Amino acid sequence: MPLAITGSAMRTSLGDTAETYQALLAGESGRQPLRYVAPEGVNVRYGYHVDATGPERPYRASAWLTECVTAAAREAGLDCARQRVVAIVGTGLRELRAVERWRADGQPADLGALHFGAAVRAALPGVEEVVTVSNACSASSHALALAADLIELDEADAVLACGADAMTESMLAMIGRVGDESSDAVRPFDADRRGVLLGDGAVAVVVQRAPETGAAVRLRGVGMSCDAYHETAPDPDGLRAAMTDAYRRAGLRPADVGLVLAHGTGTALNDPTEAGVLAGLFADAEPGPLVTGIKGAVGHTSGSAGLMSLLVAVEALRHGQVPPVVGLRTPIAEAAPLNLVVGEPVDTDARVAQVNAFGFGGVNAVCLVEVRRER
């Protein structure tokens, strides 16, 4: 069944979708000194914050999600009185920061707000059901896969696939333990990369059946795998399995793809593993797709990351310009076979993009999206 993305919105440290895309083209970064948490306590000095000023707001991720759902539903023209509308929110951390503040500072916590049901219903009161899934850093892409299933099974007329995450002290502390304290930015696929830094944000897309006249943005397929290979280390076979599943569902070949939005975390293990798998996937697809990634500009936004990359891919295909990988100066050897976009935007006439999202524990998702460019 042909599926379409009929509405979308996101919020990153660089702004909304259009602002984020324009900043990416300009090579800008949303990195700032770490806020709300003492850097010396977590061994992390920088983050990619949405709220750049003012005191820490409670339930920040929920607030951003409400904004994104409102905008995406409006663009799609959703009408809960006439349509069966379901929402699936993918997240890595939920509203864990509220629990931290309750434990450390005695700030009252609303346990019901740890689930994003209230945040979605604040924007779309008539939504039938809101499900929150915590599938690590591929969570929003898993939400997209479930959205496609619900439409294809005729369980819903429209599904909001979403992601929402705000930085937490406990996650920052974990990053600080496994990273390099001298890391001052995310540098995907760079020989001098020193680890990942976290970013805030939220994102929402509306999935519906594609109209008979065709769709401006068509969701071709979402592939998934869960290899459980290691707590944090990626498994090449697990990444390949998700890609193979995506292409099978989409009825496409690697040669059909002109752009890849890589997971690209700037870590010691992800980047060479992902680069090697991509090089193998496109070995017979000369000249191969352009490859870029967004975490150097917006940080690792945890469960929101997959759908954020998807929306950047849509913008790049729609406008015919692929932004560079912010922070990338000297590519790693494993990425030599790839057409990485470095330094400046690159023009493209591609119509199909692959979007990677990989999570701890081998929870992987790969999306294929097609865009009909406006003439």
Side-chain angles (χ1 to χ4, degrees):
M1 175 188 297
L3 300 176
I5 293 175
T6 58
S8 64
M10 73 174 170
R11 188 79 171 86
T12 75
S13 57
L14 296 173
D16 62 19
T17 304
E19 292 166 338
T20 297
Y21 176 63
Q22 290 301 319
L24 288 167
L25 289 176
E28 297 176 6
S29 169
R31 188 209 68 165
Q32 306 156 26
L34 192 66
R35 295 174 56 82
Y36 313 133
V37 175
E40 60 273 13
V42 294
N43 196 35
V44 176
R45 293 177 295 143
Y46 297 96
Y48 297 73
H49 294 281
V50 166
D51 294 334
T53 60
E56 182 178 10
R57 294 188 297 162
Y59 309 107
R60 292 176 296 138
S62 294
W64 307 326
L65 179 61
T66 298
E67 294 173 6
C68 290
V69 170
T70 298
R74 182 188 303 118
E75 182 183 2
L78 294 186
D79 182 354
C80 293
R82 303 179 62 181
Q83 295 173 292
R84 299 168 298 164
V85 181
V86 175
I88 305 173
V89 184
T91 181
L93 305 171
R94 300 203 293 174
E95 286 286 10
L96 176 60
R97 182 62 178 151
V99 177
E100 292 178 346
R101 295 293 303 274
W102 166 69
R103 177 64 180 85
D105 306 327
Q107 180 173 296
D110 178 0
L111 297 184
L114 302 182
H115 181 283
F116 288 109
V120 172
R121 288 192 166 88
L124 204 63
V127 65
E128 289 191 357
E129 187 173 8
V130 182
V131 178
T132 300
V133 296
S134 296
N135 291 50
C137 303
S138 61
S140 61
S141 294
H142 275 246
L144 186 65
L146 293 171
D149 288 346
L150 288 175
I151 299 295
E152 291 177 343
L153 293 170
D154 195 30
E155 294 290 335
D157 299 314
V159 182
L160 279 149
C162 311
D165 269 299
M167 280 179 257
T168 68
E169 187 169 10
S170 52
M171 189 64 180
L172 286 165
M174 191 198 77
I175 293 296
R177 287 178 65 85
V178 302
D180 184 335
E181 65 178 338
S182 64
S183 178
D184 60 352
V186 182
R187 296 189 175 90
F189 301 106
D190 192 86
D192 191 37
R193 68 198 186 283
R194 297 180 182 179
V196 72
L197 295 172
L198 298 182
D200 290 328
V203 59
V205 305
V206 178
V207 181
Q208 295 178 277
R209 295 175 184 82
E212 293 183 3
T213 55
V217 182
R218 185 177 170 191
L219 178 62
R220 296 297 301 265
V222 186
M224 297 191 296
S225 69
C226 183
D227 54 66
Y229 171 74
H230 188 270
E231 292 93 333
T232 58
D235 177 19
D237 290 338
L239 307 192
R240 276 190 288 268
M243 295 178 194
T244 299
D245 187 30
Y247 280 92
R248 178 185 62 81
R249 292 174 182 274
L252 294 172
R253 301 168 298 125
D256 298 320
V257 168
L259 172 63
V260 172
L261 265 289
H263 189 57
T265 57
T267 58
L269 295 179
N270 175 88
D271 291 8
T273 303
E274 183 177 14
V277 172
L278 287 173
L281 178 69
F282 295 106
D284 298 324
E286 294 294 336
L290 296 169
V291 179
T292 191
I294 68 173
K295 291 183 179 64
V298 301
H300 194 339
T301 53
S302 192
S304 299
L307 280 184
M308 287 182 174
S309 291
L310 179 72
L311 293 191
V312 172
V314 168
E315 291 297 295
L317 296 178
R318 178 178 287 147
H319 297 287
Q321 275 198 304
V322 179
V325 182
V326 173
L328 174 57
R329 297 167 295 195
T330 305
I332 57 176
E334 292 86 348
L338 304 180
N339 295 324
L340 283 166
V341 182
V342 183
E344 299 290 336
V346 175
D347 293 340
T348 183
D349 60 0
R351 294 181 57 197
V352 180
Q354 172 180 326
V355 182
N356 294 344
F358 309 134
F360 283 173
V363 183
N364 309 307
V366 174
C367 307
L368 291 167
V369 63
E370 181 177 1
V371 172
R372 184 176 64 191
R373 188 178 299 177
E374 297 176 0
R375 300 293 181 183

